[in-house]
Amino acid sequence: MTKAIAQTYTYAQQYRALATLFLAGATMLAVIMYAVNVYGAISHSVSLSAVEKQIAAVQASVGELDARYLDLGSAITPDSLHAYGLAQGEVTAYIPRTASAASVSTLAAGYEF
């Protein structure tokens, strides 16, 4: 019985070192995976805030351009066109609409102005 206990103790000592080494390796692997995930989350947050700043800058530029477009569009009058040598266009030919095309309401329902 003493011999069996001694052999079991010897095997336990050998495997205890391997088990400790395995647990230390698994812990290090978990720590490395955690560090990589934390770094990924931080870099994603930083890049997201940079993109949000760029979006705000583009929206401000679009707003300024839209205001400028509306100002320029409202300044166009027939008199200002005439100052540049332009004239208001006139329609010289119309495409007549037949009575049969006017009665077909399912073809152009909601698309006629």
Side-chain angles (χ1 to χ4, degrees):
M1 180 80 167
T2 309
K3 188 175 182 182
I5 293 174
Q7 287 178 348
T8 305
Y9 180 76
T10 305
Y11 289 133
Q13 288 293 350
Q14 291 173 352
Y15 290 124
R16 185 184 313 167
L18 288 175
T20 304
L21 186 62
F22 173 76
L23 287 176
T27 303
M28 290 302 292
L29 183 65
V31 167
I32 290 171
M33 288 175 47
Y34 177 76
V36 167
N37 286 331
V38 168
Y39 176 76
I42 291 172
S43 65
H44 181 72
S45 299
V46 169
S47 64
L48 184 64
S49 67
V51 168
E52 287 175 349
K53 288 179 185 177
Q54 290 175 351
I55 288 172
V58 168
Q59 284 178 343
S61 296
V62 167
E64 291 172 9
L65 289 174
D66 191 32
R68 178 99 169 116
Y69 173 76
L70 291 175
D71 289 342
L72 291 174
S74 65
I76 296 174
T77 62
D79 294 334
S80 66
L81 290 177
H82 187 65
Y84 291 108
L86 301 172
Q88 192 170 8
E90 295 181 14
V91 178
T92 58
Y94 289 97
I95 299 173
R97 182 172 162 178
T98 62
S100 64
S103 66
V104 180
S105 62
T106 57
L107 284 177
Y111 297 103
E112 292 184 286
F113 295 106

